[in-house]
Structure formats: C-alpha cells, structure tokens
Amino acid sequence: MLKLYTSEPNTFFFKPLIALAEKNAQYTTHYFDATNFEQFAPDFPSDLESGLQLEREGPLLVHGETIISSTSFMLEYISESLPGPSLVPGDSYDAYTLRAWAQYLGAQLGSIVPVLGCAKYLKPHLASLDPATVDRHIAAIEPIERRAGWLALRDGTYSPGYLKTVNERLAAPIARVEKALQDGRWLAGPAFSAADIDAYPMLCVLPDLAPATVNQHSTPRIMEYLARMAARDSVREALRTAKTPHPEQQFVPGIEASRWG
Amino acid sequence: MSVTLYHWEPNANSGKPMLTLAEKGVAYESRYLDLLQFDQHKPAYLAVNPDGTIPAMVHGSRVFTESTPMMEYIDDTFPGPKLKPQDPAARWRMRWWMRFFDSYFAPSLSMIGWSIFIGPAARQRPPEELQAAIDRIPLESRRIAWRKALFNEFSAEELAESKRRVLFATLALEKHLSRSRWIAGDTYSLGDINGFNLGYALPLSQPEQCNDMKTPHIMEWLRRIYERPAARETWAMGQTQMAARIKILERNPRAPHA
C-alpha cells in the first residue's frame, strides 16, 4: 500500500516521482492542485510531522500507516524501503556528500527557488481569484510559519528590493554546484544518486526564473547537467504525470529563509 | 586512519559528532577551538575548513563539515553499536526530527543563547577588535550572525519570535516523546544525540517551559541520555561553565531512579 499525494511535477513534488520511477515502483497517486489550496481539504493525511514539515508545501508518501514528508528524506526512504536499485551511494563518504548537499541546497535553493517561482507565477494566479476566498483559505492555514509563506504573497513582502536580494542569494549555491560539476558528472560520487534527484528539480527551473545567473555562458556545467538529467527515463516519466501544459510554472511557498539574515 | 575533530564545547553542533564518536567508542584527536577567541576564523583552521564553521572532522584525507551528515558518516563507517534503526520508517523519523532540531528549534534557541551569553561575553573586548574579527569571517551569512550577536542587533521582535518558537518546538517534542521512548522509536539513535545537544540545558535556560510538570517526557528523556557513559565522558571534556549546565539533569540522589 503505497500512495503518493502529489501536485504538478515541479520543485518538491518532482522529486519522489523521479525516485519512484527509478525504482520502477508500483504505487497509486492522489493528485491535488497545490496552487488552489486543495492540500488543506479536511480529509488530507496529516500527523505531527507532516503538519510541521519545513518545506511547508510538498508531497506526502503514505506507506501503510506511515506518512512520509520532507522530500530529501523521502528520497532516502524510497531508496531504503523499496526493491530496486539503491539511490544512496554505498560508499559512506559519497553518502555523506549526498546528505551534505541535501542540507545545504535545502536551506539555499529550497528557500530561494519557490520565492522566485511564486513571484513570477503564483502571485498573478492568486490575484486572478476572488480575493475574499483566497484570504479566507490563507487565514485558516496552521501553523503560523506555513501561513506566512502564503501571506507574503499578499502583504507586499514581494517588493522589487526583496526579490533582488533573494536573486542575489542564488549566487553562492549556484557557484558551489557549478564547481562541483567541474569535478564530476554527478553530485555525490561517480554515479547518479538521490543527490541528483534532490537537486535537479530546484535547478531546472532557474534558466527561466533567474536567467542572468543560470545560463550557457555563466554556468555551462549546470546547463549540461540539466540536459543530462532531462534525458533520463525517470525524469521523462515523472513529467508525464503533469495535468497542466506547463508544470514548470506551478509554484507554491517553500522553505523559510534563515531568520538569522 | 586517524580521526581528528575540531570542536568547541560539547554543545549544539560541536557536541553532535563528539557524543556520536563516544557512543561508537572511536578514539579521536580532540582539537578544541575557543569560539569566543574566534579560533574558528584563524588561518590555521581555515586551512582545514575554509568556511570557518565548526565542527570539522578529518578522517584520513577527507574533511567533513556538516555536523548532522557527519554523524551518519561516523555511524556508517566505524564499528560499534548501530546508532540508526534498521526499519526505514524509523530512520526517516530520525532524520525528520534531526532536521526539525537543526533548522527550526536550534536557530531560535541559539538566537536567545547568543543574545544573553555569547554577545555579552565577547563585548568585554574593544569594538574595533570585534569588527576586525567579523571582517575575517569567510561566509557572509556567518558575518551577519556574528555582527548581530556581538553588537546586540537582535530586535525585540526577533527575540520574541524566537521565544515563541522555542516554546512551540518544546511542546511538539514533548508530544512526540509522550508517544515514543526515543526520537526514532524503541531504540536510542543519532536523533537522540542530536536532540540532546540542542536541549540538555533547556530545563535551566527555559525553566518555565521545560520542567517536570509541563514536559515530563522531555525531562525523563534528557536524564536517560545524561546517564549514558558516553554523555558523561563527552561533557567532561567541556572547558567552560557552558558544559557544566548539564548538572541540572542530575537526579535527586535520594529519589528512586525511574
């Protein structure tokens, strides 16, 4: 009994779809439109961990009685609990590298990419809906941190100055990934792994969202890497689950930026 | 291959690999860095970890700088008791709580700790010396954090929000431990080591929120970890009063042990 609660294959939602395809796993799906608040329906699975998860909006994998949230660890769970090829390197140093990337890119790209995507696509979408309905949905969201991700789209937080700062924060993680890809084709050791499944969905939207930072000229290794990943059968299979013509334009709030500045 | 660990007090991120290595029975060379003397931003250490964050572990020719993944590496690599559960769902739970500790609970708790402990301690020195120390920090995010701590730039709103989050996270942890003996379920794991480093002094620093009446499961969990030989050994390596706070977990010697 394996059931994936998922929205369009983009950012956090993209990751388990790729991993399950790599595993050739049998599972059912419950599709919801995350941009229209369907994850807040009363019958949606919820427990202590899924209610507090720091990605704020994302997929859930229900396996028997267990609700798996938080996508980096969901990938490790898929690797460890399902038959098929391991997605975590056998070498313990490479496994460390995978987890160190997940921690670092989770905090960096996981907080930056959703803001850039929401500014470009979700904000105008919400503006096209009935304001009273949107505000009522948002006001009901718990906990406060999760609600804040949506409120920021309505209260003027997304000013040009704020978006400029968020864009600037991309430089350091992108430079780090570009440098790593000069030394090897994959992020954690000599072979494809969950580190690539974790990073790719956050990187592949950046030529659209931040073309001045991620492009053929400034980040040639990342551009090659994106093409290499896009050619994988599992990535193509994940994209076939899309129900809209442009899943790469579907964004919802992600990880909160560090409160330390 | 030898193991060298660069660390500060057994506390927060430094204490995570210290206690993990002690639980595994791995002998290591300890290199103590004095955070308040900015040892972690001096050239000798930047040659080990150019980011200037602590802890860092060197195993053979390899360097490890992310403390939570470092704990998993130690468990994966060295013999000794297994510190990750076998069951994948329990492992997922262990990792989920470690992320909650690292990314939600710890930043708020440390903002309070820095505002009342590290900032005032460091301000004993001339401002120009502090500014020069800040200028040497390699990572911009750490420069911002140190500037806030050293010049007391935390706003009242930021501190109030941190206090709210510490209470919220404490209650979530109490709820979890009321249904689960250890963080990952039936067995002691890296999740407990991580949580203990975050929370061992909560009964002292947050006495109104973390005590035997309001959070009995957290109190009992902290005491159980404190009574482990590896925790005794690790906290004995502390060189300041910070590590001595652990004594708050001493059970009343006249009371029967639970």
Side-chain angles (χ1 to χ4, degrees):
Chain A
M1 283 285 286
L2 189 63
K3 188 172 186 178
L4 182 69
Y5 286 72
T6 185
S7 197
E8 285 294 90
N10 201 32
T11 64
F12 298 110
F13 300 99
F14 205 172
K15 299 186 203 175
L17 290 163
I18 299 172
L20 290 164
E22 290 282 345
K23 284 283 201 180
N24 202 18
Q26 298 296 307
Y27 64 100
T28 58
T29 57
H30 172 104
Y31 180 90
F32 61 96
D33 183 349
T35 65
N36 281 318
F37 305 101
E38 290 181 7
Q39 63 275 39
F40 301 104
D43 58 348
F44 209 78
S46 178
D47 64 2
L48 180 62
E49 285 87 359
S50 61
L52 298 180
Q53 67 124 340
L54 302 181
E55 289 170 354
R56 299 201 279 199
E57 306 303 331
L60 296 177
L61 184 66
V62 179
H63 199 183
E65 299 292 304
T66 308
I67 305 174
I68 302 291
S69 59
S70 195
T71 50
S72 299
F73 305 137
M74 188 183 289
L75 298 181
E76 286 206 65
Y77 178 79
I78 289 169
S79 179
E80 291 172 352
S81 65
L82 301 180
S86 175
L87 303 173
V88 176
D91 177 85
S92 57
Y93 178 73
D94 292 340
Y96 164 83
T97 306
L98 176 154
R99 294 178 184 125
W101 273 122
Q103 182 128 352
Y104 175 74
L105 293 182
Q108 301 290 323
L109 298 184
S111 66
I112 298 169
V113 170
V115 169
L116 299 179
C118 285
K120 186 166 180 179
Y121 296 110
L122 182 62
K123 198 163 181 279
H125 166 70
L126 293 181
S128 73
L129 305 176
D130 170 46
T133 307
V134 171
D135 289 342
R136 198 171 55 245
H137 274 301
I138 293 174
I141 298 173
E142 294 289 347
I144 296 170
E145 291 80 359
R146 191 174 182 187
R147 192 189 318 144
W150 293 90
L151 278 176
L153 287 151
R154 311 283 283 173
D155 65 7
T157 299
Y158 279 49
S159 65
Y162 170 72
L163 294 173
K164 182 169 174 285
T165 307
V166 172
N167 241 305
E168 287 165 0
R169 285 181 44 224
L170 260 184
I174 289 301
R176 206 169 266 210
V177 174
E178 180 71 11
K179 184 168 182 305
L181 291 172
Q182 284 169 6
D183 301 332
R185 287 167 59 83
W186 307 107
L187 286 176
F192 168 84
S193 75
D196 303 297
I197 304 176
D198 201 46
Y200 172 72
M202 293 299 171
L203 292 168
C204 70
V205 289
L206 287 174
D208 171 37
L209 299 178
T213 308
V214 180
N215 57 58
Q216 220 45 269
H217 178 71
S218 311
T219 58
R221 295 287 186 259
I222 290 178
M223 296 305 285
E224 282 171 16
Y225 174 77
L226 295 182
R228 198 150 61 237
M229 284 293 292
R232 284 187 83 85
D233 289 344
S234 59
V235 172
R236 292 165 187 254
E237 194 177 325
L239 282 174
R240 279 198 290 273
T241 66
K243 296 195 190 303
T244 71
H246 293 289
E248 74 283 1
Q249 298 178 2
Q250 297 280 321
F251 290 90
V252 279
I255 294 170
E256 183 184 62
S258 166
R259 293 179 54 245
W260 278 79
Chain B
M1 277 192 294
S2 66
V3 176
T4 303
L5 187 70
Y6 296 81
H7 62 91
W8 185 45
E9 292 290 285
N11 182 68
N13 288 340
S14 282
K16 284 148 60 175
M18 290 172 79
L19 182 51
T20 307
L21 289 162
E23 291 284 6
K24 296 292 276 189
V26 179
Y28 63 96
E29 184 181 341
S30 158
R31 299 273 183 91
Y32 184 89
L33 300 176
D34 188 339
L35 194 82
L36 298 176
Q37 296 298 324
F38 305 103
D39 285 351
Q40 71 278 22
H41 304 135
K42 291 177 182 164
Y45 182 66
L46 293 179
V48 177
N49 178 9
D51 284 348
T53 57
I54 45 176
M57 182 175 82
V58 180
H59 182 214
S61 60
R62 279 164 166 169
V63 182
F64 302 80
T65 57
E66 290 280 357
S67 59
T68 295
M70 192 186 298
M71 295 163 74
E72 289 215 41
Y73 175 83
I74 293 166
D75 189 52
D76 290 345
T77 306
F78 296 101
K82 282 284 165 206
L83 297 170
K84 295 198 269 191
Q86 281 297 308
D87 172 45
R91 266 182 200 219
W92 169 81
R93 207 170 296 286
M94 176 191 87
R95 292 180 179 126
W96 188 98
W97 279 95
M98 293 204 291
R99 179 61 60 86
F100 184 71
F101 292 146
D102 290 345
S103 298
Y104 185 90
F105 204 155
S108 290
L109 192 59
S110 66
M111 191 182 286
I112 299 169
W114 282 42
S115 73
I116 61 177
F117 174 70
I118 295 181
R123 280 195 291 277
Q124 306 293 322
R125 294 195 276 158
E128 55 276 14
E129 197 182 315
L130 297 180
Q131 189 56 53
I134 291 170
D135 290 343
R136 283 196 299 272
I137 300 173
L139 289 182
E140 192 194 0
S141 59
R142 302 311 297 163
R143 273 200 299 279
I144 293 169
W146 275 96
R147 192 175 301 121
K148 282 186 166 187
L150 296 184
F151 296 116
N152 201 22
E153 289 177 359
F154 298 111
S155 70
E157 291 77 17
E158 280 177 307
L159 285 170
E161 175 61 5
S162 289
K163 286 175 186 164
R164 185 193 70 77
R165 288 179 181 226
V166 166
L167 174 59
F168 182 76
T170 302
L171 295 176
L173 178 60
E174 175 65 14
K175 190 171 176 186
H176 178 52
L177 290 171
S178 72
R179 65 181 189 183
S180 182
R181 180 171 168 82
W182 300 105
I183 291 296
D186 299 335
T187 54
Y188 177 76
S189 76
L190 299 178
D192 302 292
I193 293 176
N194 186 314
F196 185 75
N197 272 284
L198 167 85
Y200 73 92
L202 274 176
L204 196 67
S205 67
Q206 313 290 324
E208 287 167 15
Q209 296 168 5
C210 187
N211 56 53
D212 281 307
M213 294 297 287
K214 285 191 180 164
T215 57
H217 296 93
I218 293 178
M219 295 299 293
E220 182 55 30
W221 170 71
L222 291 174
R223 290 184 183 118
R224 277 204 309 273
I225 301 172
Y226 173 59
E227 285 157 4
R228 297 177 70 87
R232 303 279 171 148
E233 181 189 315
T234 301
W235 263 260
M237 293 170 70
Q239 300 189 13
T240 71
Q241 282 304 306
M242 172 170 257
R245 297 180 303 168
I246 202 167
K247 298 280 182 216
I248 188 85
L249 300 175
E250 216 43 88
R251 288 182 205 269
N252 180 343
R254 292 174 187 277
H257 282 202

